[in-house]
């Protein structure tokens, strides 16, 4: 017991001596160094507070986003103003071309709610012909045709407009990437001529019954198709 008391007294004495020395050292420091240390401590405290506030704001924003997304998922979307037109077009196609003519149909919300038809490759031309010549639909104007490489498949996108219905429609078809072949739409719309040549030139999509399918940008001697995702330049230095 006496030994423990002696040790405790020694520790207390050492602690008191350490406090005294620290106090003396602080008193001996120049005023500028003391102010600098104080400023650094204040800056560190402010930075820590700012980081905490930023983290709190980020967490709140994340919570708001989650709540918003939850509401969007659970809230039924409003019916598109073009839904009735899409239903009319789909019904007409299924009645005249066949029930399996379309693989899919939907309203494209990201493209001004345009009614979009995904055709079976075997019925692509039949659907296009029906859209072109049906008296009620009469999609007489082809405004756009282009191809896209999705790596898993090729896709043709055709944008048509009916002045009679005052309505546009998109016609799409997915093709085998290794052998992308599809009937030409030039017999229906002469405006498909150059866009199909461009898709042939840049993607290697072949259009059957095209009157003059040729490369129009790169020339017949060009190697490969530059818009394909796996395209490798023939001459890497060019």
């Amino acid at each position: 017991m006496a030994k423990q008391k002696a040790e405790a007294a020694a520790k207390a004495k050492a602690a008191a001596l350490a406090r005294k020395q620290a106090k003396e050292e602080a008193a001996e420091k120049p005023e500028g160094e003391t102010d600098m240390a104080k400023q650094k401590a204040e800056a560190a405290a402010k930075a820590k507070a700012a980081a905490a506030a930023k983290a709190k704001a980020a967490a709140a924003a994340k919570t708001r986003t989650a709540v918003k997304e939850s509401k969007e998922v659970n809230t039924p979307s409003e019916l598109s103003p073009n839904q009735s037109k899409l239903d009319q077009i789909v019904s007409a196609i299924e009645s005249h071309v066949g029930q399996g003519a379309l693989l899919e149909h939907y309203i494209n919300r990201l493209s001004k709610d345009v009614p979009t038809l995904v055709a079976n490759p075997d019925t692509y031309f039949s659907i296009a012909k029906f859209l072109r010549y049906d008296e009620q639909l009469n999609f007489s104007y082809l405004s756009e045709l282009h191809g896209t490489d999705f790596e898993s498949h090729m896709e043709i996108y055709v944008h048509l407009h009916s002045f009679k219905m005052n309505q546009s429609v998109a016609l799409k078809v997915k093709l085998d990437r290794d052998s992308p072949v599809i009937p030409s739409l030039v017999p229906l719309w002469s405006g498909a001529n150059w866009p199909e040549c461009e898709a042939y030139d840049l993607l290697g999509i072949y259009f059957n019954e095209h009157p003059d399918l040729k490369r129009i940008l790169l020339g017949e001697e060009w190697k490969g198709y530059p818009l394909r995702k796996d395209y490798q330049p023939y001459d890497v230095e060019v």
Side-chain angles (χ1 to χ4, degrees):
M1 181 65 72
K3 185 177 180 181
Q4 291 177 351
K5 287 183 178 181
E7 289 178 353
K11 288 181 180 179
K13 185 176 180 181
L17 182 61
R19 287 196 296 272
K20 182 178 180 182
Q21 289 177 346
K23 188 175 180 181
E24 290 175 350
E25 289 177 359
E28 292 174 357
K29 281 186 178 181
E31 185 177 348
E33 290 185 11
T34 304
D35 292 342
M36 182 67 70
K38 186 177 180 181
Q39 290 174 2
K40 287 183 179 181
E42 290 176 351
K46 288 180 179 179
K48 186 176 180 180
K54 186 176 181 180
K56 185 177 180 180
K62 187 175 181 180
T63 301
R64 288 195 298 270
T65 300
V67 171
K68 182 179 178 181
E69 290 177 351
S70 177
K71 288 181 178 179
E72 290 176 351
V73 169
N74 295 326
T75 303
S77 59
E78 295 181 2
L79 197 65
S80 167
N82 291 331
Q83 185 63 50
S84 60
K85 295 288 182 66
L86 174 62
D87 294 341
Q88 176 187 348
I89 296 167
V90 170
S91 177
I93 290 174
E94 291 179 341
S95 297
H96 292 83
V97 183
Q99 288 292 326
L102 291 172
L103 298 178
E104 188 182 359
H105 53 83
Y106 56 91
I107 295 293
N108 190 342
R109 295 285 192 176
L110 301 179
S111 182
K112 299 181 180 179
D113 278 27
V114 63
T116 302
L117 312 170
V118 182
N120 186 316
D122 295 334
T123 57
Y124 168 71
F125 185 82
S126 299
I127 292 172
K129 185 176 181 179
F130 178 72
L131 293 173
R132 172 67 179 86
Y133 292 116
D134 180 75
E135 293 182 358
Q136 299 300 318
L137 304 180
N138 193 22
F139 284 91
S140 59
Y141 179 56
L142 184 150
S143 62
E144 181 181 355
L145 185 154
H146 67 258
T148 304
D149 179 9
F150 285 95
E151 297 187 276
S152 60
H153 66 278
M154 294 286 186
E155 185 174 283
I156 294 293
Y157 175 97
V158 184
H159 194 273
L160 305 170
H161 187 77
S162 169
F163 294 98
K164 186 171 185 177
M165 294 181 68
N166 189 29
Q167 179 63 48
S168 294
V169 70
L171 175 62
K172 300 167 68 173
V173 62
K174 298 178 180 180
L175 308 176
D176 179 9
R177 191 174 185 276
D178 295 329
S179 181
V181 180
I182 199 71
S184 170
L185 298 185
V186 174
L188 306 177
W189 295 278
S190 60
N193 190 332
W194 280 70
E196 288 184 350
C197 284
E198 183 180 51
Y200 166 70
D201 191 6
L202 301 178
L203 287 162
I205 298 174
Y206 190 85
F207 295 88
N208 282 328
E209 304 300 324
H210 189 286
D212 187 24
L213 192 63
K214 60 185 178 182
R215 305 194 83 153
I216 58 175
L217 299 173
L218 303 177
E220 295 299 335
E221 302 302 319
W222 192 275
K223 305 293 183 181
Y225 306 101
L227 289 188
R228 285 194 174 217
K229 298 294 178 62
D230 57 358
Y231 172 71
Q232 294 291 332
Y234 180 69
D235 186 347
V236 295
E237 295 183 358
V238 176

